[in-house]
Amino acid sequence: MTFQFNNIQVSRRYKHFDWLHERLVEKFCLLAIPPLPDKQISGRYEEIFIEHRRMQLQAFVDYVCKHPILSQCWVWQHFITCTDEKRWKAGKRRAEKDEIVGANSFLALIVPERAMDPLSMQVSYIF
């Protein structure tokens, strides 16, 4: 899937979404995070399967973008903006070593002084 955020275009494979999902579930275990589509071994190159999975991943992306906590998470920001392979790997290592996970993640939240406008956090997608 390829999407664009703030004029930064990135391409992500299913395995990248799988990694992101694991990080979000680990970090925010008290939040409801929708599941990713199942992995599939046979028929994964068929047009119908690809389109169905794309729609499911799009729904996941839309959910995260609209969520007031997940959309501001460093791991999500890294996922949608990192274009450099070296920085991508360094960010993955950083996320995998994150000690602020589970209920502790809520201790690190900073409440904004004014309400956030959810419409200003839009992401455009290119397929």
Side-chain angles (χ1 to χ4, degrees):
M1 176 179 275
T2 301
F3 49 98
Q4 186 171 328
F5 177 76
N6 288 345
N7 295 322
I8 300 170
Q9 185 173 325
V10 295
S11 293
R12 298 291 182 243
R13 296 180 55 90
Y14 181 84
K15 68 180 183 178
H16 299 124
F17 279 92
D18 194 36
W19 172 85
L20 171 69
H21 190 266
E22 286 179 27
R23 299 286 71 76
L24 293 177
V25 167
E26 179 182 36
K27 186 164 187 71
F28 301 108
C29 64
L30 300 176
L31 297 179
I33 299 174
L36 290 178
D38 291 332
K39 294 179 182 178
Q40 184 167 333
I41 296 173
S42 64
R44 65 179 183 223
Y45 300 111
E46 294 177 12
E47 208 52 44
I48 293 172
F49 172 75
I50 292 170
E51 180 59 18
H52 182 67
R53 177 180 271 182
R54 185 198 64 77
M55 289 181 358
Q56 289 177 308
L57 290 174
Q58 182 67 60
F60 175 78
V61 166
D62 291 344
Y63 179 87
V64 174
C65 283
K66 292 175 184 174
H67 196 282
I69 296 172
L70 298 177
S71 65
Q72 301 304 306
C73 173
W74 181 86
V75 175
W76 172 248
Q77 297 295 320
H78 179 68
F79 182 82
I80 62 172
T81 62
C82 186
T83 58
D84 179 70
E85 187 65 27
K86 214 175 203 182
R87 280 187 48 239
W88 171 255
K89 288 181 181 179
K92 280 182 66 175
R93 284 192 297 276
R94 175 183 166 193
E96 290 163 358
K97 292 180 182 178
D98 190 356
E99 294 180 2
I100 303 175
V101 296
N104 289 336
S105 64
F106 289 99
L107 298 174
L109 291 178
I110 299 171
V111 178
E113 291 180 22
R114 58 185 172 82
M116 294 170 47
D117 179 12
L119 297 177
S120 68
M121 297 182 282
Q122 293 182 349
V123 176
S124 60
Y125 311 95
I126 302 168
F127 297 101

